[in-house]
Amino acid sequence: MSYRDRILIVEDEKNIAGFMTTILTSNGYEVLHAETGAEALMLVSSHCPDAMILDLGLPDMDGQRIIRTVREWSQLPILVVSARSHERDKVSALDLGADDYVTKPFGTGELLARLRTALRHAHNRDAEESLIQRGKFTAGDLCVDFDKRRVYVRGEDAKLTQNEYRIVALLAKYAGRVLTYDYLISQIWGPNASGDNRILRVNMANIRRKIEPKPGQSQYIFTEMGVGYRMIEDD
Ligand code: CA
């Protein structure tokens, strides 16, 4: 590996921090560790990490404040680590600009996979943002053709409506990441749209009927309960 990604772990529980440091180091990452929010903010500006793994419950400040502060000047990928009971925290963390979250307790494989996805998206971000989405997204029998603005299942046009297409295209563009209900609603129906999820859920039910092979069994688009939706990563 010619360049080692430098990961900042922000975690006040020594056991967890130690565990994560071991995993990341043995997978070729360079690791920095902060136990407080103040220390984290200092390290972000002094050591320019490539990504941050952030525990929301810190002794000196709320993790959400860290996300908000960092996002004022940096697009650094932020992977939030949170307890399952704090679903609202996860949603607002994502809405504040965190890239993804991992629920405690988490497995090694999951942590590494989420981190790789966040880093890859960050590395691609500049190119992604400067271009209109082009080409194709393919996962199994599903193909999103961004140029034709159509979705195909086993080569057949799934006949999505305009809004259904836009939802699928957005999820495909950020495949592997969870997009929150609020984010999807604001992207599809505009920033002043009602925060009511009902219309999004109706659209999603129609999309699933058209693209998923079996009813009630998601193969492509997964629901993150109370948070949003995630598209499977491309092949
Ligand atoms: Ca903590």
Side-chain angles (χ1 to χ4, degrees), residues 49-165:
D50 296 292
M52 167 159 72
I53 298 178
L54 177 67
D55 173 34
L56 290 179
L58 295 168
D60 61 334
M61 67 177 86
D62 191 279
Q64 300 193 350
R65 194 170 134 204
I66 299 177
I67 300 170
R68 203 178 299 121
T69 308
V70 168
R71 277 291 170 264
E72 283 170 14
W73 46 273
S74 169
Q75 286 302 308
L76 165 77
I78 302 175
L79 188 59
V80 164
V81 174
S82 74
R84 185 176 295 278
S85 52
H86 300 132
E87 202 151 77
R88 293 208 69 80
D89 289 351
K90 285 189 238 170
V91 176
S92 47
L94 291 167
D95 282 339
L96 282 173
D99 292 81
D100 204 348
Y101 69 83
V102 178
T103 302
K104 282 179 185 173
F106 52 82
T108 308
E110 185 186 11
L111 180 71
L112 290 169
R114 297 291 176 83
L115 183 61
R116 272 196 305 270
T117 302
L119 284 166
R120 193 174 63 235
H121 280 289
H123 293 155
N124 293 338
R125 188 175 281 145
D126 289 345
E128 221 173 49
E129 279 184 357
S130 62
L131 293 169
I132 297 167
Q133 192 70 6
R134 304 208 72 94
K136 286 181 179 134
F137 166 91
T138 310
D141 290 330
L142 181 73
C143 175
V144 180
D145 188 325
F146 295 109
D147 301 320
K148 292 184 182 159
R149 295 178 63 84
R150 288 198 190 285
V151 173
Y152 299 91
V153 178
R154 274 186 297 276
E156 294 211 10
D157 191 341
K159 298 203 166 66
L160 301 188
T161 65
Q162 188 77 341
N163 279 343
E164 288 164 6
Y165 168 79

